[in-house]
Amino acid sequence: MTVTLSGCASDDGGGDVTLRLVAADYGTGAENTSKKYWDDVAVKFEKANPGIDVDVSVYSWKDVDREVAEMVKAGKAPDIAQIGAFADYAQADKLYTADEMIAIRTGSNFLPSLTYAGEVDGKLYGLPFVASTRLLFYNKGLFDKAGLGAPQTRDDIRSDAAALKKSGVTYPFALPLGQEESQAETLMWLLSGGGGYTDEVGNYDIDSPANVATFQWLQNDLVGKGLTGPVAPKELDRAKAFDAFTKGEVGMLNGHPTLMQEAEKKGIEVGMVPLPGIDGPTKGSMGVADWMMGFKQNGHRVEIGKFLDFAYKDENVLAFADQYDLLPVTSSASLAMEADSRHEPLHEFLAALPNSQLYPFGKTSWAQVSESIKEKIGSAVEPGASPESVLVQIASQARQAESAE
C-alpha cells in the first residue's frame, strides 16, 4: 500500500490525501492552546511525508466529544480524533483496530494498563494519548495564614474549609461539578468514599449506598455550610476553578499536574496529598487517560497509521507531556521522564499511574453515561435536592445503556 494508492479517495482529486484531525484543548487560553502543538506536529509530519496534509481542529473539553459525535452522525467523521471515549464507535464498527493502523513497535510501547483500558472485545481501538492521576491540591500560603496542616480525612476538609472561610478565602473548597469535566470530580469523590462507577464485576453501581453517602456528605458538610464559594458547584467548571486557584482565591480543590505548573507560575505554593477519605487518605488514585482513534469512513487507513506512528515518537509524546505537566502513555517516554530530574514534581503522579482507577472506557455505553453525569451530577448537591434521587436517575440510565450494548 502506498500513499498514492490510498489517495484515490482524496477530496481534491489530485492524488494527495488530507487527514482531518480533531483534538481536545488542554490549554487555558490562546497562549498555550493545544492547537499550537498539533499544528507543529502536522508541519513536521507533512515535511516527512509529502502527499499527506493534516487539517487540525481543536475544541474545548466541554465540547469536543459532542462535536465528534455530531460529525459522525452527520456522516462527516474525522480521520483521527483525540477525545475522551472510543468504545461506542468501536462497537459500531467505525474505527480501525490498532493492528490495522500502527506499527508493532508503536503498539507494544503503550503502558500495559492503558492498553487494556483501550480494548473492546479484546482488540485495541483506543490508543492512549496522555494520562494523569489526581491529588488534592491546597494553597500552602492560605493554609499557613489560617494555621492549618495538610488535610488527611473528610473531617479535616470540612474543618479546614471552615477556617479558610473565616479567614476570608473566596473558595474554601472549590467543587467543580459543572459540565466541563464533572465525571472526573465525581469519580474522585466516589473513590474517597469506598465506591466508584462500577462494582467488583464491572457492572454500573452508581447509586450504591457508599456513593449516595458521599454525595450526601458533599451536600450537607461542604455545600450546605457555604464552604464551596460564591459559584454553585453545578455552575462551576474545572477551568474556572483552576483559574481561581492560580489567583490565590481557592484553599483546596482536586487537581492534576497541569494545575501545579500554572499555579507555580503565578507564585502559588502548592501542597498536594491524596484525596482524604472517611478515615484517612484514599487508597489508590483516580487515573485519567484520553484517547486517539482512527475512523474508517474516509478510507485513509495507511495515512492515519503513518501519522499516529509519527505522533507517538518519544520527542512528541514528551513535548506534549512537558507542555501540560501530564504523564506519557508509552514505556519509553515514561522511563525518560523518570530519569529526568526536571520532572521530579511529576514522579509522584507517575508512580501512581499503573495502579490507578480509570473510567470504564471499554464499555460502549460509557460516552453516554459520562454525558449523563456531566449534565446531572451538579444538581445532586443543590440545597433541598435528593442526592440519592439524582444518582438513581443516572444509574438507571447507565444500566439501560449497558443492557443495550
mmCIF file with all atom_site columns, all heavy atoms in Angstrom, residues 36 93 97 120 126 136 139-140 157 171 188-189 197 203 205-206 236 309 317 319 342 346 349 391 400:
data_model
loop_
_atom_site.group_PDB
_atom_site.id
_atom_site.type_symbol
_atom_site.label_atom_id
_atom_site.label_alt_id
_atom_site.label_comp_id
_atom_site.label_asym_id
_atom_site.label_entity_id
_atom_site.label_seq_id
_atom_site.pdbx_PDB_ins_code
_atom_site.Cartn_x
_atom_site.Cartn_y
_atom_site.Cartn_z
_atom_site.occupancy
_atom_site.B_iso_or_equiv
_atom_site.pdbx_formal_charge
_atom_site.auth_seq_id
_atom_site.auth_comp_id
_atom_site.auth_asym_id
_atom_site.auth_atom_id
_atom_site.pdbx_PDB_model_num
ATOM 1   N N   . LYS A 1 36  ? -1.535  24.859 18.909 1.00 0.00 ? 36  LYS A N   1
ATOM 2   C CA  . LYS A 1 36  ? -0.142  25.138 18.555 1.00 0.00 ? 36  LYS A CA  1
ATOM 3   C C   . LYS A 1 36  ? 0.666   23.843 18.492 1.00 0.00 ? 36  LYS A C   1
ATOM 4   O O   . LYS A 1 36  ? 1.483   23.647 17.591 1.00 0.00 ? 36  LYS A O   1
ATOM 5   C CB  . LYS A 1 36  ? 0.472   26.101 19.562 1.00 0.00 ? 36  LYS A CB  1
ATOM 6   C CG  . LYS A 1 36  ? -0.108  27.503 19.524 1.00 0.00 ? 36  LYS A CG  1
ATOM 7   C CD  . LYS A 1 36  ? 0.595   28.410 20.531 1.00 0.00 ? 36  LYS A CD  1
ATOM 8   C CE  . LYS A 1 36  ? 0.049   29.823 20.475 1.00 0.00 ? 36  LYS A CE  1
ATOM 9   N NZ  . LYS A 1 36  ? 0.725   30.709 21.454 1.00 0.00 ? 36  LYS A NZ  1
ATOM 10  N N   . ASP A 1 93  ? -18.425 -0.350 14.617 1.00 0.00 ? 93  ASP A N   1
ATOM 11  C CA  . ASP A 1 93  ? -17.535 -0.695 13.504 1.00 0.00 ? 93  ASP A CA  1
ATOM 12  C C   . ASP A 1 93  ? -17.121 0.535  12.695 1.00 0.00 ? 93  ASP A C   1
ATOM 13  O O   . ASP A 1 93  ? -16.974 0.481  11.480 1.00 0.00 ? 93  ASP A O   1
ATOM 14  C CB  . ASP A 1 93  ? -18.191 -1.735 12.582 1.00 0.00 ? 93  ASP A CB  1
ATOM 15  C CG  . ASP A 1 93  ? -17.179 -2.411 11.656 1.00 0.00 ? 93  ASP A CG  1
ATOM 16  O OD1 . ASP A 1 93  ? -16.007 -2.549 12.059 1.00 0.00 ? 93  ASP A OD1 1
ATOM 17  O OD2 . ASP A 1 93  ? -17.558 -2.777 10.531 1.00 0.00 ? 93  ASP A OD2 1
ATOM 18  N N   . THR A 1 97  ? -8.803  -0.999 14.043 1.00 0.00 ? 97  THR A N   1
ATOM 19  C CA  . THR A 1 97  ? -8.061  -1.510 15.193 1.00 0.00 ? 97  THR A CA  1
ATOM 20  C C   . THR A 1 97  ? -6.632  -1.006 15.109 1.00 0.00 ? 97  THR A C   1
ATOM 21  O O   . THR A 1 97  ? -6.149  -0.591 14.051 1.00 0.00 ? 97  THR A O   1
ATOM 22  C CB  . THR A 1 97  ? -8.046  -3.042 15.219 1.00 0.00 ? 97  THR A CB  1
ATOM 23  O OG1 . THR A 1 97  ? -7.315  -3.523 14.077 1.00 0.00 ? 97  THR A OG1 1
ATOM 24  C CG2 . THR A 1 97  ? -9.458  -3.613 15.202 1.00 0.00 ? 97  THR A CG2 1
ATOM 25  N N   . VAL A 1 120 ? -11.703 -3.168 23.287 1.00 0.00 ? 120 VAL A N   1
ATOM 26  C CA  . VAL A 1 120 ? -13.103 -3.582 23.236 1.00 0.00 ? 120 VAL A CA  1
ATOM 27  C C   . VAL A 1 120 ? -13.119 -4.982 22.640 1.00 0.00 ? 120 VAL A C   1
ATOM 28  O O   . VAL A 1 120 ? -12.590 -5.204 21.552 1.00 0.00 ? 120 VAL A O   1
ATOM 29  C CB  . VAL A 1 120 ? -13.958 -2.635 22.371 1.00 0.00 ? 120 VAL A CB  1
ATOM 30  C CG1 . VAL A 1 120 ? -15.380 -3.169 22.233 1.00 0.00 ? 120 VAL A CG1 1
ATOM 31  C CG2 . VAL A 1 120 ? -13.974 -1.232 22.967 1.00 0.00 ? 120 VAL A CG2 1
ATOM 32  N N   . GLY A 1 126 ? -8.850  2.124  21.124 1.00 0.00 ? 126 GLY A N   1
ATOM 33  C CA  . GLY A 1 126 ? -8.484  3.415  21.694 1.00 0.00 ? 126 GLY A CA  1
ATOM 34  C C   . GLY A 1 126 ? -7.007  3.425  22.028 1.00 0.00 ? 126 GLY A C   1
ATOM 35  O O   . GLY A 1 126 ? -6.542  2.690  22.896 1.00 0.00 ? 126 GLY A O   1
ATOM 36  N N   . LEU A 1 136 ? -5.321  15.902 45.821 1.00 0.00 ? 136 LEU A N   1
ATOM 37  C CA  . LEU A 1 136 ? -5.906  17.104 46.408 1.00 0.00 ? 136 LEU A CA  1
ATOM 38  C C   . LEU A 1 136 ? -4.820  18.176 46.469 1.00 0.00 ? 136 LEU A C   1
ATOM 39  O O   . LEU A 1 136 ? -3.739  17.955 47.018 1.00 0.00 ? 136 LEU A O   1
ATOM 40  C CB  . LEU A 1 136 ? -6.433  16.823 47.808 1.00 0.00 ? 136 LEU A CB  1
ATOM 41  C CG  . LEU A 1 136 ? -6.995  18.053 48.535 1.00 0.00 ? 136 LEU A CG  1
ATOM 42  C CD1 . LEU A 1 136 ? -8.331  18.448 47.922 1.00 0.00 ? 136 LEU A CD1 1
ATOM 43  C CD2 . LEU A 1 136 ? -7.151  17.799 50.020 1.00 0.00 ? 136 LEU A CD2 1
ATOM 44  N N   . ASN A 1 139 ? -3.538  25.425 48.841 1.00 0.00 ? 139 ASN A N   1
ATOM 45  C CA  . ASN A 1 139 ? -2.711  26.623 48.782 1.00 0.00 ? 139 ASN A CA  1
ATOM 46  C C   . ASN A 1 139 ? -1.963  26.747 50.112 1.00 0.00 ? 139 ASN A C   1
ATOM 47  O O   . ASN A 1 139 ? -2.561  27.058 51.150 1.00 0.00 ? 139 ASN A O   1
ATOM 48  C CB  . ASN A 1 139 ? -3.596  27.845 48.534 1.00 0.00 ? 139 ASN A CB  1
ATOM 49  C CG  . ASN A 1 139 ? -2.813  29.131 48.382 1.00 0.00 ? 139 ASN A CG  1
ATOM 50  O OD1 . ASN A 1 139 ? -1.897  29.411 49.147 1.00 0.00 ? 139 ASN A OD1 1
ATOM 51  N ND2 . ASN A 1 139 ? -3.199  29.944 47.398 1.00 0.00 ? 139 ASN A ND2 1
ATOM 52  N N   . LYS A 1 140 ? -0.651  26.490 50.077 1.00 0.00 ? 140 LYS A N   1
ATOM 53  C CA  . LYS A 1 140 ? 0.127   26.480 51.318 1.00 0.00 ? 140 LYS A CA  1
ATOM 54  C C   . LYS A 1 140 ? 0.108   27.835 52.012 1.00 0.00 ? 140 LYS A C   1
ATOM 55  O O   . LYS A 1 140 ? 0.066   27.910 53.247 1.00 0.00 ? 140 LYS A O   1
ATOM 56  C CB  . LYS A 1 140 ? 1.573   26.060 51.031 1.00 0.00 ? 140 LYS A CB  1
ATOM 57  C CG  . LYS A 1 140 ? 1.758   24.577 50.776 1.00 0.00 ? 140 LYS A CG  1
ATOM 58  C CD  . LYS A 1 140 ? 3.240   24.241 50.660 1.00 0.00 ? 140 LYS A CD  1
ATOM 59  C CE  . LYS A 1 140 ? 3.472   22.744 50.537 1.00 0.00 ? 140 LYS A CE  1
ATOM 60  N NZ  . LYS A 1 140 ? 4.923   22.415 50.464 1.00 0.00 ? 140 LYS A NZ  1
ATOM 61  N N   . ILE A 1 157 ? -11.103 18.141 55.890 1.00 0.00 ? 157 ILE A N   1
ATOM 62  C CA  . ILE A 1 157 ? -11.548 19.015 54.796 1.00 0.00 ? 157 ILE A CA  1
ATOM 63  C C   . ILE A 1 157 ? -12.599 19.995 55.286 1.00 0.00 ? 157 ILE A C   1
ATOM 64  O O   . ILE A 1 157 ? -12.521 21.204 55.033 1.00 0.00 ? 157 ILE A O   1
ATOM 65  C CB  . ILE A 1 157 ? -12.102 18.172 53.628 1.00 0.00 ? 157 ILE A CB  1
ATOM 66  C CG1 . ILE A 1 157 ? -10.968 17.448 52.897 1.00 0.00 ? 157 ILE A CG1 1
ATOM 67  C CG2 . ILE A 1 157 ? -12.859 19.057 52.645 1.00 0.00 ? 157 ILE A CG2 1
ATOM 68  C CD1 . ILE A 1 157 ? -11.436 16.578 51.753 1.00 0.00 ? 157 ILE A CD1 1
ATOM 69  N N   . TYR A 1 171 ? -13.018 30.793 47.849 1.00 0.00 ? 171 TYR A N   1
ATOM 70  C CA  . TYR A 1 171 ? -13.450 29.405 47.642 1.00 0.00 ? 171 TYR A CA  1
ATOM 71  C C   . TYR A 1 171 ? -12.688 28.527 48.641 1.00 0.00 ? 171 TYR A C   1
ATOM 72  O O   . TYR A 1 171 ? -11.603 28.031 48.337 1.00 0.00 ? 171 TYR A O   1
ATOM 73  C CB  . TYR A 1 171 ? -13.120 28.918 46.234 1.00 0.00 ? 171 TYR A CB  1
ATOM 74  C CG  . TYR A 1 171 ? -13.867 29.577 45.101 1.00 0.00 ? 171 TYR A CG  1
ATOM 75  C CD1 . TYR A 1 171 ? -13.381 30.745 44.510 1.00 0.00 ? 171 TYR A CD1 1
ATOM 76  C CD2 . TYR A 1 171 ? -15.038 29.018 44.587 1.00 0.00 ? 171 TYR A CD2 1
ATOM 77  C CE1 . TYR A 1 171 ? -14.049 31.345 43.450 1.00 0.00 ? 171 TYR A CE1 1
ATOM 78  C CE2 . TYR A 1 171 ? -15.711 29.603 43.528 1.00 0.00 ? 171 TYR A CE2 1
ATOM 79  C CZ  . TYR A 1 171 ? -15.206 30.772 42.964 1.00 0.00 ? 171 TYR A CZ  1
ATOM 80  O OH  . TYR A 1 171 ? -15.867 31.359 41.907 1.00 0.00 ? 171 TYR A OH  1
ATOM 81  N N   . MET A 1 188 ? -13.482 10.903 41.691 1.00 0.00 ? 188 MET A N   1
ATOM 82  C CA  . MET A 1 188 ? -12.555 11.101 42.803 1.00 0.00 ? 188 MET A CA  1
ATOM 83  C C   . MET A 1 188 ? -13.284 11.012 44.138 1.00 0.00 ? 188 MET A C   1
ATOM 84  O O   . MET A 1 188 ? -12.829 10.345 45.075 1.00 0.00 ? 188 MET A O   1
ATOM 85  C CB  . MET A 1 188 ? -11.855 12.453 42.669 1.00 0.00 ? 188 MET A CB  1
ATOM 86  C CG  . MET A 1 188 ? -10.732 12.454 41.646 1.00 0.00 ? 188 MET A CG  1
ATOM 87  S SD  . MET A 1 188 ? -9.886  14.044 41.527 1.00 0.00 ? 188 MET A SD  1
ATOM 88  C CE  . MET A 1 188 ? -10.925 14.876 40.340 1.00 0.00 ? 188 MET A CE  1
ATOM 89  N N   . TRP A 1 189 ? -14.431 11.676 44.218 1.00 0.00 ? 189 TRP A N   1
ATOM 90  C CA  . TRP A 1 189 ? -15.181 11.654 45.474 1.00 0.00 ? 189 TRP A CA  1
ATOM 91  C C   . TRP A 1 189 ? -15.761 10.268 45.753 1.00 0.00 ? 189 TRP A C   1
ATOM 92  O O   . TRP A 1 189 ? -15.770 9.815  46.902 1.00 0.00 ? 189 TRP A O   1
ATOM 93  C CB  . TRP A 1 189 ? -16.279 12.707 45.442 1.00 0.00 ? 189 TRP A CB  1
ATOM 94  C CG  . TRP A 1 189 ? -15.740 14.088 45.624 1.00 0.00 ? 189 TRP A CG  1
ATOM 95  C CD1 . TRP A 1 189 ? -15.600 15.061 44.678 1.00 0.00 ? 189 TRP A CD1 1
ATOM 96  C CD2 . TRP A 1 189 ? -15.216 14.638 46.832 1.00 0.00 ? 189 TRP A CD2 1
ATOM 97  N NE1 . TRP A 1 189 ? -15.039 16.186 45.215 1.00 0.00 ? 189 TRP A NE1 1
ATOM 98  C CE2 . TRP A 1 189 ? -14.800 15.960 46.548 1.00 0.00 ? 189 TRP A CE2 1
ATOM 99  C CE3 . TRP A 1 189 ? -15.081 14.157 48.136 1.00 0.00 ? 189 TRP A CE3 1
ATOM 100 C CZ2 . TRP A 1 189 ? -14.232 16.779 47.523 1.00 0.00 ? 189 TRP A CZ2 1
ATOM 101 C CZ3 . TRP A 1 189 ? -14.521 14.984 49.111 1.00 0.00 ? 189 TRP A CZ3 1
ATOM 102 C CH2 . TRP A 1 189 ? -14.105 16.278 48.790 1.00 0.00 ? 189 TRP A CH2 1
ATOM 103 N N   . TYR A 1 197 ? -17.755 3.960  40.012 1.00 0.00 ? 197 TYR A N   1
ATOM 104 C CA  . TYR A 1 197 ? -18.789 3.859  38.989 1.00 0.00 ? 197 TYR A CA  1
ATOM 105 C C   . TYR A 1 197 ? -19.271 2.429  38.781 1.00 0.00 ? 197 TYR A C   1
ATOM 106 O O   . TYR A 1 197 ? -20.395 2.206  38.330 1.00 0.00 ? 197 TYR A O   1
ATOM 107 C CB  . TYR A 1 197 ? -18.274 4.404  37.662 1.00 0.00 ? 197 TYR A CB  1
ATOM 108 C CG  . TYR A 1 197 ? -18.213 5.912  37.600 1.00 0.00 ? 197 TYR A CG  1
ATOM 109 C CD1 . TYR A 1 197 ? -17.142 6.561  37.003 1.00 0.00 ? 197 TYR A CD1 1
ATOM 110 C CD2 . TYR A 1 197 ? -19.235 6.698  38.132 1.00 0.00 ? 197 TYR A CD2 1
ATOM 111 C CE1 . TYR A 1 197 ? -17.085 7.949  36.939 1.00 0.00 ? 197 TYR A CE1 1
ATOM 112 C CE2 . TYR A 1 197 ? -19.187 8.083  38.077 1.00 0.00 ? 197 TYR A CE2 1
ATOM 113 C CZ  . TYR A 1 197 ? -18.108 8.704  37.479 1.00 0.00 ? 197 TYR A CZ  1
ATOM 114 O OH  . TYR A 1 197 ? -18.059 10.070 37.419 1.00 0.00 ? 197 TYR A OH  1
ATOM 115 N N   . ASN A 1 203 ? -20.045 -4.115 36.682 1.00 0.00 ? 203 ASN A N   1
ATOM 116 C CA  . ASN A 1 203 ? -21.363 -3.572 36.349 1.00 0.00 ? 203 ASN A CA  1
ATOM 117 C C   . ASN A 1 203 ? -21.530 -2.179 36.967 1.00 0.00 ? 203 ASN A C   1
ATOM 118 O O   . ASN A 1 203 ? -21.003 -1.901 38.046 1.00 0.00 ? 203 ASN A O   1
ATOM 119 C CB  . ASN A 1 203 ? -22.470 -4.485 36.874 1.00 0.00 ? 203 ASN A CB  1
ATOM 120 C CG  . ASN A 1 203 ? -22.458 -5.845 36.203 1.00 0.00 ? 203 ASN A CG  1
ATOM 121 O OD1 . ASN A 1 203 ? -22.276 -5.947 34.998 1.00 0.00 ? 203 ASN A OD1 1
ATOM 122 N ND2 . ASN A 1 203 ? -22.638 -6.900 36.993 1.00 0.00 ? 203 ASN A ND2 1
ATOM 123 N N   . ASP A 1 205 ? -22.682 0.721  39.157 1.00 0.00 ? 205 ASP A N   1
ATOM 124 C CA  . ASP A 1 205 ? -23.184 0.706  40.532 1.00 0.00 ? 205 ASP A CA  1
ATOM 125 C C   . ASP A 1 205 ? -23.179 2.137  41.076 1.00 0.00 ? 205 ASP A C   1
ATOM 126 O O   . ASP A 1 205 ? -22.765 2.393  42.205 1.00 0.00 ? 205 ASP A O   1
ATOM 127 C CB  . ASP A 1 205 ? -22.303 -0.208 41.385 1.00 0.00 ? 205 ASP A CB  1
ATOM 128 C CG  . ASP A 1 205 ? -22.957 -0.606 42.695 1.00 0.00 ? 205 ASP A CG  1
ATOM 129 O OD1 . ASP A 1 205 ? -24.195 -0.609 42.752 1.00 0.00 ? 205 ASP A OD1 1
ATOM 130 O OD2 . ASP A 1 205 ? -22.225 -0.896 43.655 1.00 0.00 ? 205 ASP A OD2 1
ATOM 131 N N   . ILE A 1 206 ? -23.641 3.063  40.253 1.00 0.00 ? 206 ILE A N   1
ATOM 132 C CA  . ILE A 1 206 ? -23.512 4.490  40.548 1.00 0.00 ? 206 ILE A CA  1
ATOM 133 C C   . ILE A 1 206 ? -24.351 4.910  41.747 1.00 0.00 ? 206 ILE A C   1
ATOM 134 O O   . ILE A 1 206 ? -24.007 5.848  42.464 1.00 0.00 ? 206 ILE A O   1
ATOM 135 C CB  . ILE A 1 206 ? -23.873 5.312  39.290 1.00 0.00 ? 206 ILE A CB  1
ATOM 136 C CG1 . ILE A 1 206 ? -22.858 4.997  38.177 1.00 0.00 ? 206 ILE A CG1 1
ATOM 137 C CG2 . ILE A 1 206 ? -23.888 6.805  39.575 1.00 0.00 ? 206 ILE A CG2 1
ATOM 138 C CD1 . ILE A 1 206 ? -23.226 5.559  36.820 1.00 0.00 ? 206 ILE A CD1 1
ATOM 139 N N   . LEU A 1 236 ? -20.037 25.662 38.257 1.00 0.00 ? 236 LEU A N   1
ATOM 140 C CA  . LEU A 1 236 ? -18.588 25.857 38.289 1.00 0.00 ? 236 LEU A CA  1
ATOM 141 C C   . LEU A 1 236 ? -17.878 24.811 37.440 1.00 0.00 ? 236 LEU A C   1
ATOM 142 O O   . LEU A 1 236 ? -17.906 23.622 37.750 1.00 0.00 ? 236 LEU A O   1
ATOM 143 C CB  . LEU A 1 236 ? -18.080 25.788 39.735 1.00 0.00 ? 236 LEU A CB  1
ATOM 144 C CG  . LEU A 1 236 ? -16.592 26.082 39.937 1.00 0.00 ? 236 LEU A CG  1
ATOM 145 C CD1 . LEU A 1 236 ? -16.251 27.515 39.541 1.00 0.00 ? 236 LEU A CD1 1
ATOM 146 C CD2 . LEU A 1 236 ? -16.178 25.810 41.388 1.00 0.00 ? 236 LEU A CD2 1
ATOM 147 N N   . ASP A 1 309 ? 2.001   6.752  14.032 1.00 0.00 ? 309 ASP A N   1
ATOM 148 C CA  . ASP A 1 309 ? 3.372   6.322  14.323 1.00 0.00 ? 309 ASP A CA  1
ATOM 149 C C   . ASP A 1 309 ? 4.274   7.528  14.573 1.00 0.00 ? 309 ASP A C   1
ATOM 150 O O   . ASP A 1 309 ? 5.126   7.516  15.476 1.00 0.00 ? 309 ASP A O   1
ATOM 151 C CB  . ASP A 1 309 ? 3.933   5.492  13.166 1.00 0.00 ? 309 ASP A CB  1
ATOM 152 C CG  . ASP A 1 309 ? 3.354   4.088  13.113 1.00 0.00 ? 309 ASP A CG  1
ATOM 153 O OD1 . ASP A 1 309 ? 2.916   3.574  14.161 1.00 0.00 ? 309 ASP A OD1 1
ATOM 154 O OD2 . ASP A 1 309 ? 3.345   3.502  12.009 1.00 0.00 ? 309 ASP A OD2 1
ATOM 155 N N   . VAL A 1 317 ? 5.630   12.764 22.244 1.00 0.00 ? 317 VAL A N   1
ATOM 156 C CA  . VAL A 1 317 ? 4.932   12.387 23.475 1.00 0.00 ? 317 VAL A CA  1
ATOM 157 C C   . VAL A 1 317 ? 5.432   13.229 24.649 1.00 0.00 ? 317 VAL A C   1
ATOM 158 O O   . VAL A 1 317 ? 4.647   13.777 25.439 1.00 0.00 ? 317 VAL A O   1
ATOM 159 C CB  . VAL A 1 317 ? 5.118   10.883 23.766 1.00 0.00 ? 317 VAL A CB  1
ATOM 160 C CG1 . VAL A 1 317 ? 4.558   10.529 25.141 1.00 0.00 ? 317 VAL A CG1 1
ATOM 161 C CG2 . VAL A 1 317 ? 4.448   10.039 22.692 1.00 0.00 ? 317 VAL A CG2 1
ATOM 162 N N   . ALA A 1 319 ? 7.042   16.118 24.473 1.00 0.00 ? 319 ALA A N   1
ATOM 163 C CA  . ALA A 1 319 ? 6.787   17.547 24.268 1.00 0.00 ? 319 ALA A CA  1
ATOM 164 C C   . ALA A 1 319 ? 5.399   17.916 24.786 1.00 0.00 ? 319 ALA A C   1
ATOM 165 O O   . ALA A 1 319 ? 5.228   18.959 25.437 1.00 0.00 ? 319 ALA A O   1
ATOM 166 C CB  . ALA A 1 319 ? 6.915   17.898 22.789 1.00 0.00 ? 319 ALA A CB  1
ATOM 167 N N   . ARG A 1 342 ? 14.352  17.080 35.947 1.00 0.00 ? 342 ARG A N   1
ATOM 168 C CA  . ARG A 1 342 ? 13.472  18.216 35.668 1.00 0.00 ? 342 ARG A CA  1
ATOM 169 C C   . ARG A 1 342 ? 12.004  17.857 35.919 1.00 0.00 ? 342 ARG A C   1
ATOM 170 O O   . ARG A 1 342 ? 11.179  18.730 36.156 1.00 0.00 ? 342 ARG A O   1
ATOM 171 C CB  . ARG A 1 342 ? 13.632  18.689 34.221 1.00 0.00 ? 342 ARG A CB  1
ATOM 172 C CG  . ARG A 1 342 ? 14.957  19.309 33.885 1.00 0.00 ? 342 ARG A CG  1
ATOM 173 C CD  . ARG A 1 342 ? 14.969  19.876 32.474 1.00 0.00 ? 342 ARG A CD  1
ATOM 174 N NE  . ARG A 1 342 ? 14.657  18.856 31.480 1.00 0.00 ? 342 ARG A NE  1
ATOM 175 C CZ  . ARG A 1 342 ? 13.567  18.854 30.733 1.00 0.00 ? 342 ARG A CZ  1
ATOM 176 N NH1 . ARG A 1 342 ? 12.655  19.810 30.879 1.00 0.00 ? 342 ARG A NH1 1
ATOM 177 N NH2 . ARG A 1 342 ? 13.354  17.899 29.844 1.00 0.00 ? 342 ARG A NH2 1
ATOM 178 N N   . LEU A 1 346 ? 6.646   15.525 38.943 1.00 0.00 ? 346 LEU A N   1
ATOM 179 C CA  . LEU A 1 346 ? 5.657   14.622 38.365 1.00 0.00 ? 346 LEU A CA  1
ATOM 180 C C   . LEU A 1 346 ? 5.841   13.172 38.798 1.00 0.00 ? 346 LEU A C   1
ATOM 181 O O   . LEU A 1 346 ? 4.989   12.329 38.511 1.00 0.00 ? 346 LEU A O   1
ATOM 182 C CB  . LEU A 1 346 ? 5.714   14.682 36.838 1.00 0.00 ? 346 LEU A CB  1
ATOM 183 C CG  . LEU A 1 346 ? 5.218   15.966 36.175 1.00 0.00 ? 346 LEU A CG  1
ATOM 184 C CD1 . LEU A 1 346 ? 5.445   15.895 34.668 1.00 0.00 ? 346 LEU A CD1 1
ATOM 185 C CD2 . LEU A 1 346 ? 3.751   16.198 36.473 1.00 0.00 ? 346 LEU A CD2 1
ATOM 186 N N   . PHE A 1 349 ? 2.975   11.533 40.666 1.00 0.00 ? 349 PHE A N   1
ATOM 187 C CA  . PHE A 1 349 ? 1.845   11.233 39.784 1.00 0.00 ? 349 PHE A CA  1
ATOM 188 C C   . PHE A 1 349 ? 2.167   10.013 38.910 1.00 0.00 ? 349 PHE A C   1
ATOM 189 O O   . PHE A 1 349 ? 1.321   9.152  38.695 1.00 0.00 ? 349 PHE A O   1
ATOM 190 C CB  . PHE A 1 349 ? 1.544   12.433 38.881 1.00 0.00 ? 349 PHE A CB  1
ATOM 191 C CG  . PHE A 1 349 ? 1.053   13.647 39.597 1.00 0.00 ? 349 PHE A CG  1
ATOM 192 C CD1 . PHE A 1 349 ? 1.928   14.656 39.960 1.00 0.00 ? 349 PHE A CD1 1
ATOM 193 C CD2 . PHE A 1 349 ? -0.294  13.794 39.913 1.00 0.00 ? 349 PHE A CD2 1
ATOM 194 C CE1 . PHE A 1 349 ? 1.473   15.792 40.610 1.00 0.00 ? 349 PHE A CE1 1
ATOM 195 C CE2 . PHE A 1 349 ? -0.757  14.927 40.564 1.00 0.00 ? 349 PHE A CE2 1
ATOM 196 C CZ  . PHE A 1 349 ? 0.129   15.924 40.914 1.00 0.00 ? 349 PHE A CZ  1
ATOM 197 N N   . LEU A 1 391 ? -28.592 10.241 41.795 1.00 0.00 ? 391 LEU A N   1
ATOM 198 C CA  . LEU A 1 391 ? -27.739 9.091  41.497 1.00 0.00 ? 391 LEU A CA  1
ATOM 199 C C   . LEU A 1 391 ? -28.551 7.922  40.956 1.00 0.00 ? 391 LEU A C   1
ATOM 200 O O   . LEU A 1 391 ? -28.099 7.205  40.056 1.00 0.00 ? 391 LEU A O   1
ATOM 201 C CB  . LEU A 1 391 ? -26.951 8.672  42.732 1.00 0.00 ? 391 LEU A CB  1
ATOM 202 C CG  . LEU A 1 391 ? -25.872 9.659  43.200 1.00 0.00 ? 391 LEU A CG  1
ATOM 203 C CD1 . LEU A 1 391 ? -25.246 9.190  44.502 1.00 0.00 ? 391 LEU A CD1 1
ATOM 204 C CD2 . LEU A 1 391 ? -24.795 9.831  42.146 1.00 0.00 ? 391 LEU A CD2 1
ATOM 205 N N   . GLN A 1 400 ? -29.573 0.961  31.665 1.00 0.00 ? 400 GLN A N   1
ATOM 206 C CA  . GLN A 1 400 ? -30.311 0.817  30.426 1.00 0.00 ? 400 GLN A CA  1
ATOM 207 C C   . GLN A 1 400 ? -29.384 0.879  29.225 1.00 0.00 ? 400 GLN A C   1
ATOM 208 O O   . GLN A 1 400 ? -29.514 0.083  28.276 1.00 0.00 ? 400 GLN A O   1
ATOM 209 C CB  . GLN A 1 400 ? -31.364 1.926  30.330 1.00 0.00 ? 400 GLN A CB  1
ATOM 210 C CG  . GLN A 1 400 ? -32.288 1.821  29.125 1.00 0.00 ? 400 GLN A CG  1
ATOM 211 C CD  . GLN A 1 400 ? -33.369 2.895  29.121 1.00 0.00 ? 400 GLN A CD  1
ATOM 212 O OE1 . GLN A 1 400 ? -33.438 3.700  30.029 1.00 0.00 ? 400 GLN A OE1 1
ATOM 213 N NE2 . GLN A 1 400 ? -34.190 2.900  28.083 1.00 0.00 ? 400 GLN A NE2 1
#
